[in-house]
Amino acid sequence: MTQGSPGRQATSLFTERFGSAPTALVSAPGRVNLIGEHLDYNGGPVLPIALERRTVVAAGHAPSWRAVSALDGELQGVDPNRLETGRWQAYLVGVIRAAARIGITLGGADLAVASTVPPGAGLSSSAALTVACARALAALAGRRTTPEELIEVAWVAEHDEVGVACGRMDQTVAVLARPGHALLFETATGVVTHHPFPLKVWVFETGVAHRLTGGGLNLRRQECETALGLVRERGLAVPRLADVPEGELPRLLRTIPVPWQLRLRHVVSETARTRAAAAAILARDWAGLGRLLFAGHQSLRQDYQSSCAEADLLVEASMQHGAWGARLTGAGWGGAVLALLPEGREARIVAEVQEAFRRSYGRVPQVWWTRAGSGARSER
Ligand code: GLA
């Protein structure tokens, strides 16, 4: 990693605060989901890329737990018996407990964290943190972990311990991503395939922070379970909502009331769009991919009702000024919009979109781009 990178930052923070060099230095990426939103807990396919932005954890042996983040620089003791949601240390406690379940037990550790993944932007800063922490603890314990174990520890930490009703998309891409590739993850079977994906992905941050522990995702998950029950009552014995055949939709939508019919329609149409998007990537049909992304956004807005006005404006303005496609990414209710922009026209489109946003909201949104990055790794 280069000068000023989170790797250097975590190392110097560690040395400064704990007075020695770290024993382990590991990193994991955030992600941007190209398409396949809210499908990972409904048994459908998802198609994320890892960001080039990463979270780095520097770790060393210690008799008790202490942690410091470059975000606030505050050194704090961590008690694995106390998990306070709403603080970043909750994820750390979650990982300590989840790792213990697979036999990674340590009496303590010193941990320094630095990151370039923006928190609360729907870019999976939490999975970057939990995956990097899990890998750091395994390294300290001298335990070789399989990718599946790392994914599971990070997922259990967030799902069972912190209490977010997430699926496994974020942890899977944070562990398994390959540079220059999008990852098609069939969540029902666990099958992962890597599709070459050379494009830049532009990220517009709405500046509206979403809080996963705040409930929107948990509520949608319950609604999807209810929708599945209603589908089965109508004689369709499907194991998961994403298994409902598209051809059955007209019949089901006639009798299933809102909001469940809307959630069902999103899950079924998004499943079809995601598989079509994977095919478009293989065919290098970027305009076709863009149209699917935009259709995916409409579905999030109208059927899943997980968008927000700021994201809608960013998507509309991107499309109006010549993007191939644009879409809210991640859980929603704030967070970030991704856009695919034709080469050579990027600067002009970005300026137009920023100006449109400024006219409505009086501030200029953060914008940056990434290519598909790599999964979790040791930094030395
Ligand atoms: C969050 C969850 C993921 C996934 C997305 C929506 O990021 O952590 O598991 O459900 O929302 O696609």
Side-chain angles (χ1 to χ4, degrees):
M1 288 197 150
T2 52
Q3 190 86 33
S5 70
R8 279 186 188 272
Q9 219 187 346
T11 307
S12 57
L13 187 61
F14 187 97
T15 313
E16 209 174 275
R17 295 310 174 92
F18 303 121
S20 61
T23 309
L25 190 67
V26 298
S27 74
R31 61 100 188 94
V32 59
N33 188 20
L34 296 177
I35 193 161
E37 216 64 84
H38 296 285
L39 295 189
D40 61 350
Y41 54 88
N42 283 306
V46 297
L47 191 55
I49 62 165
L51 302 179
E52 288 167 319
R53 295 181 173 224
R54 309 178 73 81
T55 295
V56 181
V57 174
H61 294 282
S64 63
W65 297 95
R66 294 187 299 176
V68 59
S69 157
L71 269 185
D72 59 13
E74 255 178 65
L75 178 61
Q76 299 214 332
V78 174
D79 179 357
N81 297 313
R82 263 189 66 187
L83 189 148
E84 287 173 64
T85 50
R87 307 177 65 219
W88 74 269
Q89 290 90 345
Y91 290 92
L92 184 52
V93 170
V95 172
I96 296 169
R97 294 181 185 177
R101 296 199 205 175
I102 64 157
I104 299 175
T105 47
L106 294 160
D110 285 335
L111 302 158
V113 181
S115 181
T116 46
V117 184
L123 300 168
S124 192
S125 59
S126 56
L129 176 64
T130 52
V131 167
C133 276
R135 202 166 153 162
L137 298 193
L140 286 186
R143 168 81 132 71
R144 274 204 162 285
T145 46
T146 63
E148 292 70 29
E149 281 177 321
L150 265 190
I151 292 167
E152 198 58 17
V153 168
W155 181 77
V156 167
E158 182 152 0
H159 185 272
D160 295 10
E161 299 293 347
V162 179
V164 179
C166 58
R168 285 176 170 77
M169 165 171 71
D170 304 347
Q171 299 77 10
T172 301
V173 64
V175 172
L176 294 178
R178 290 191 192 154
H181 289 76
L183 180 146
L184 176 66
F185 173 29
E186 285 287 351
T187 63
T189 58
V191 172
V192 163
T193 41
H194 300 273
H195 288 359
F197 186 73
L199 291 194
K200 279 183 191 169
V201 173
W202 288 84
V203 177
F204 292 87
E205 296 182 29
T206 62
V208 182
H210 80 144
R211 279 289 273 287
L212 284 193
T213 37
L217 181 62
N218 295 14
L219 175 63
R220 285 294 176 277
R221 193 163 178 164
Q222 281 168 18
E223 290 171 347
C224 286
E225 270 159 32
T226 306
L228 180 59
L230 293 171
V231 164
R232 286 177 179 159
E233 277 171 22
R234 282 153 184 79
L236 207 63
V238 285
R240 302 173 192 85
L241 208 54
D243 295 319
V244 172
E246 264 187 299
E248 293 281 351
L249 265 190
R251 171 176 81 87
L252 293 169
L253 296 180
R254 271 199 297 277
T255 60
I256 293 179
V258 286
W260 303 287
Q261 63 158 254
L262 300 176
R263 313 304 180 239
L264 168 67
R265 189 164 63 183
H266 169 74
V267 169
V268 174
S269 64
E270 184 80 346
T271 296
R273 277 189 296 273
T274 305
R275 298 213 171 102
I281 289 177
L282 285 176
R284 301 173 72 89
D285 172 11
W286 309 130
L289 176 63
R291 282 192 293 275
L292 291 161
L293 264 53
F294 181 56
H297 184 77
Q298 301 309 329
S299 180
L300 287 178
R301 189 166 65 79
Q302 292 162 1
D303 287 353
Y304 219 69
Q305 298 175 314
S306 56
S307 189
C308 63
E310 290 84 349
D312 294 342
L313 184 148
L314 289 169
V315 169
E316 291 298 333
S318 300
M319 297 309 293
Q320 193 189 331
H321 293 289
W324 276 317
R327 195 179 77 76
L328 173 67
T329 190
W333 300 283
V337 160
L338 79 96
L340 301 181
L341 308 181
E343 220 173 311
R345 294 166 59 192
E346 295 151 302
R348 196 182 53 75
I349 299 174
V350 166
E352 297 279 11
V353 173
Q354 285 188 306
E355 178 52 22
F357 192 93
R358 195 198 55 76
R359 277 200 302 273
S360 289
Y361 294 103
R363 59 187 170 85
V364 177
Q366 293 283 333
V367 55
W368 43 274
W369 58 267
T370 184
R371 289 192 205 271
S374 72
R377 65 184 182 219
S378 169
E379 289 295 334
R380 55 179 177 209

